mmCIF file of all heavy atoms in Angstrom:
data_model
loop_
_atom_site.group_PDB
_atom_site.id
_atom_site.type_symbol
_atom_site.label_atom_id
_atom_site.label_comp_id
_atom_site.label_asym_id
_atom_site.label_seq_id
_atom_site.Cartn_x
_atom_site.Cartn_y
_atom_site.Cartn_z
ATOM 1 N N ARG A 47 131.590 43.162 110.946
ATOM 2 C CA ARG A 47 131.076 42.356 109.817
ATOM 3 C C ARG A 47 130.106 41.303 110.328
ATOM 4 O O ARG A 47 129.170 40.930 109.549
ATOM 5 C CB ARG A 47 132.274 41.665 109.081
ATOM 6 C CG ARG A 47 133.106 42.695 108.329
ATOM 7 C CD ARG A 47 134.325 42.038 107.665
ATOM 8 N NE ARG A 47 133.960 41.128 106.642
ATOM 9 C CZ ARG A 47 133.727 41.456 105.408
ATOM 10 N NH1 ARG A 47 133.815 42.705 105.068
ATOM 11 N NH2 ARG A 47 133.396 40.556 104.495
ATOM 12 N N GLU A 73 120.843 41.922 103.857
ATOM 13 C CA GLU A 73 119.982 42.909 103.162
ATOM 14 C C GLU A 73 118.677 43.132 103.852
ATOM 15 O O GLU A 73 117.982 44.086 103.555
ATOM 16 C CB GLU A 73 119.759 42.470 101.667
ATOM 17 C CG GLU A 73 119.226 41.058 101.477
ATOM 18 C CD GLU A 73 120.280 40.022 101.244
ATOM 19 O OE1 GLU A 73 121.371 40.112 101.842
ATOM 20 O OE2 GLU A 73 120.051 39.130 100.456
ATOM 21 N N LYS A 83 137.137 52.246 102.594
ATOM 22 C CA LYS A 83 137.135 52.734 101.244
ATOM 23 C C LYS A 83 135.717 53.261 100.938
ATOM 24 O O LYS A 83 134.764 52.576 101.312
ATOM 25 C CB LYS A 83 137.564 51.673 100.236
ATOM 26 C CG LYS A 83 138.976 51.282 100.269
ATOM 27 C CD LYS A 83 139.352 50.355 99.120
ATOM 28 C CE LYS A 83 139.069 48.918 99.437
ATOM 29 N NZ LYS A 83 139.332 48.016 98.385
ATOM 30 N N LEU A 85 133.967 53.365 98.254
ATOM 31 C CA LEU A 85 133.220 52.397 97.485
ATOM 32 C C LEU A 85 132.000 53.037 96.767
ATOM 33 O O LEU A 85 130.883 52.493 96.810
ATOM 34 C CB LEU A 85 132.762 51.213 98.262
ATOM 35 C CG LEU A 85 133.884 50.259 98.723
ATOM 36 C CD1 LEU A 85 133.276 49.201 99.639
ATOM 37 C CD2 LEU A 85 134.616 49.619 97.569
ATOM 38 N N THR A 89 129.969 53.675 88.057
ATOM 39 C CA THR A 89 129.075 53.915 86.882
ATOM 40 C C THR A 89 127.860 54.741 87.165
ATOM 41 O O THR A 89 127.104 55.136 86.251
ATOM 42 C CB THR A 89 128.630 52.579 86.277
ATOM 43 O OG1 THR A 89 128.019 51.789 87.341
ATOM 44 C CG2 THR A 89 129.766 51.804 85.692
ATOM 45 N N ARG A 101 116.307 52.530 95.762
ATOM 46 C CA ARG A 101 115.948 51.884 94.493
ATOM 47 C C ARG A 101 115.840 50.356 94.663
ATOM 48 O O ARG A 101 114.938 49.728 94.131
ATOM 49 C CB ARG A 101 117.079 52.185 93.515
ATOM 50 C CG ARG A 101 116.720 51.804 92.036
ATOM 51 C CD ARG A 101 117.781 52.412 91.115
ATOM 52 N NE ARG A 101 117.682 51.835 89.809
ATOM 53 C CZ ARG A 101 118.705 51.771 88.957
ATOM 54 N NH1 ARG A 101 119.875 52.301 89.338
ATOM 55 N NH2 ARG A 101 118.544 51.329 87.769
ATOM 56 N N MET A 102 116.651 49.803 95.541
ATOM 57 C CA MET A 102 116.575 48.370 95.791
ATOM 58 C C MET A 102 115.296 48.074 96.473
ATOM 59 O O MET A 102 114.726 46.925 96.342
ATOM 60 C CB MET A 102 117.709 47.960 96.735
ATOM 61 C CG MET A 102 119.091 48.051 96.167
ATOM 62 S SD MET A 102 119.302 47.146 94.674
ATOM 63 C CE MET A 102 119.364 48.440 93.483
ATOM 64 N N ARG A 103 114.705 49.030 97.204
ATOM 65 C CA ARG A 103 113.385 48.740 97.888
ATOM 66 C C ARG A 103 112.237 49.099 96.937
ATOM 67 O O ARG A 103 111.099 48.979 97.349
ATOM 68 C CB ARG A 103 113.331 49.621 99.140
ATOM 69 C CG ARG A 103 114.202 49.067 100.245
ATOM 70 C CD ARG A 103 114.450 50.084 101.334
ATOM 71 N NE ARG A 103 115.220 49.556 102.436
ATOM 72 C CZ ARG A 103 116.437 49.145 102.357
ATOM 73 N NH1 ARG A 103 117.172 49.375 101.296
ATOM 74 N NH2 ARG A 103 117.093 48.636 103.432
ATOM 75 N N ARG A 146 124.555 57.840 101.599
ATOM 76 C CA ARG A 146 124.026 56.648 100.939
ATOM 77 C C ARG A 146 123.537 55.601 101.991
ATOM 78 O O ARG A 146 122.610 54.909 101.865
ATOM 79 C CB ARG A 146 125.066 56.030 100.071
ATOM 80 C CG ARG A 146 124.663 54.754 99.386
ATOM 81 C CD ARG A 146 125.660 54.260 98.382
ATOM 82 N NE ARG A 146 126.933 53.995 99.046
ATOM 83 C CZ ARG A 146 128.017 53.609 98.419
ATOM 84 N NH1 ARG A 146 127.989 53.504 97.111
ATOM 85 N NH2 ARG A 146 129.159 53.382 99.058
ATOM 86 N N GLU B 186 133.820 43.796 97.887
ATOM 87 C CA GLU B 186 133.354 44.866 98.659
ATOM 88 C C GLU B 186 132.101 45.556 98.196
ATOM 89 O O GLU B 186 131.199 45.847 98.927
ATOM 90 C CB GLU B 186 134.431 45.960 98.821
ATOM 91 C CG GLU B 186 135.624 45.540 99.679
ATOM 92 C CD GLU B 186 136.813 45.094 98.831
ATOM 93 O OE1 GLU B 186 136.539 44.801 97.681
ATOM 94 O OE2 GLU B 186 137.941 45.158 99.310
ATOM 95 N N PHE B 187 132.017 45.762 96.837
ATOM 96 C CA PHE B 187 130.869 46.493 96.316
ATOM 97 C C PHE B 187 129.593 45.672 96.599
ATOM 98 O O PHE B 187 128.569 46.303 96.937
ATOM 99 C CB PHE B 187 130.985 46.737 94.803
ATOM 100 C CG PHE B 187 131.747 47.993 94.527
ATOM 101 C CD1 PHE B 187 133.023 47.908 93.920
ATOM 102 C CD2 PHE B 187 131.256 49.190 94.775
ATOM 103 C CE1 PHE B 187 133.745 49.015 93.629
ATOM 104 C CE2 PHE B 187 131.952 50.339 94.507
ATOM 105 C CZ PHE B 187 133.239 50.280 93.889
ATOM 106 N N GLU B 189 129.116 43.551 99.042
ATOM 107 C CA GLU B 189 128.831 43.570 100.458
ATOM 108 C C GLU B 189 128.171 44.886 100.870
ATOM 109 O O GLU B 189 127.173 44.889 101.590
ATOM 110 C CB GLU B 189 130.169 43.442 101.284
ATOM 111 C CG GLU B 189 130.764 42.059 101.143
ATOM 112 C CD GLU B 189 132.087 41.962 101.905
ATOM 113 O OE1 GLU B 189 132.569 42.964 102.414
ATOM 114 O OE2 GLU B 189 132.578 40.818 102.003
ATOM 115 N N LEU B 190 128.675 45.972 100.309
ATOM 116 C CA LEU B 190 128.099 47.249 100.544
ATOM 117 C C LEU B 190 126.622 47.279 100.041
ATOM 118 O O LEU B 190 125.705 47.683 100.809
ATOM 119 C CB LEU B 190 128.891 48.321 99.772
ATOM 120 C CG LEU B 190 128.234 49.702 99.780
ATOM 121 C CD1 LEU B 190 128.701 50.428 100.983
ATOM 122 C CD2 LEU B 190 128.553 50.425 98.520
ATOM 123 N N ARG B 192 124.679 44.824 99.778
ATOM 124 C CA ARG B 192 123.818 44.001 100.694
ATOM 125 C C ARG B 192 123.383 44.809 101.916
ATOM 126 O O ARG B 192 122.261 44.753 102.283
ATOM 127 C CB ARG B 192 124.704 42.819 101.202
ATOM 128 C CG ARG B 192 124.649 41.652 100.279
ATOM 129 C CD ARG B 192 125.256 40.456 101.003
ATOM 130 N NE ARG B 192 124.231 39.714 101.738
ATOM 131 C CZ ARG B 192 124.372 38.580 102.300
ATOM 132 N NH1 ARG B 192 125.592 37.978 102.229
ATOM 133 N NH2 ARG B 192 123.401 37.987 102.925
ATOM 134 N N LEU B 194 122.909 47.755 102.049
ATOM 135 C CA LEU B 194 121.974 48.760 101.652
ATOM 136 C C LEU B 194 120.666 48.102 101.191
ATOM 137 O O LEU B 194 119.725 48.772 100.720
ATOM 138 C CB LEU B 194 122.479 49.614 100.535
ATOM 139 C CG LEU B 194 123.684 50.562 100.927
ATOM 140 C CD1 LEU B 194 124.218 51.171 99.691
ATOM 141 C CD2 LEU B 194 123.254 51.560 101.918
ATOM 142 N N GLY B 195 120.568 46.777 101.340
ATOM 143 C CA GLY B 195 119.295 46.110 101.124
ATOM 144 C C GLY B 195 119.151 45.455 99.758
ATOM 145 O O GLY B 195 118.037 45.083 99.408
ATOM 146 N N GLN B 200 119.408 41.686 92.567
ATOM 147 C CA GLN B 200 119.710 43.138 92.509
ATOM 148 C C GLN B 200 121.247 43.375 92.566
ATOM 149 O O GLN B 200 121.759 44.200 91.822
ATOM 150 C CB GLN B 200 119.049 43.865 93.655
ATOM 151 C CG GLN B 200 117.522 43.943 93.521
ATOM 152 C CD GLN B 200 116.902 44.603 94.659
ATOM 153 O OE1 GLN B 200 117.223 44.309 95.830
ATOM 154 N NE2 GLN B 200 115.944 45.492 94.439
ATOM 155 N N PHE B 204 122.525 45.309 89.399
ATOM 156 C CA PHE B 204 122.874 46.717 89.619
ATOM 157 C C PHE B 204 124.334 46.909 90.023
ATOM 158 O O PHE B 204 124.867 48.039 89.909
ATOM 159 C CB PHE B 204 121.945 47.297 90.729
ATOM 160 C CG PHE B 204 120.544 47.381 90.303
ATOM 161 C CD1 PHE B 204 119.579 46.568 90.824
ATOM 162 C CD2 PHE B 204 120.116 48.343 89.388
ATOM 163 C CE1 PHE B 204 118.258 46.641 90.422
ATOM 164 C CE2 PHE B 204 118.821 48.434 88.987
ATOM 165 C CZ PHE B 204 117.883 47.553 89.505
#
Side-chain angles (χ1 to χ4, degrees):
Chain A
R47 291 175 68 83
E73 54 266 37
K83 287 190 275 177
L85 292 175
T89 53
R101 191 169 167 203
M102 295 302 107
R103 286 162 175 71
R146 179 174 60 182
Chain B
E186 289 101 338
F187 274 111
E189 292 180 351
L190 171 88
R192 275 192 87 170
L194 294 172
Q200 288 177 317
F204 293 106

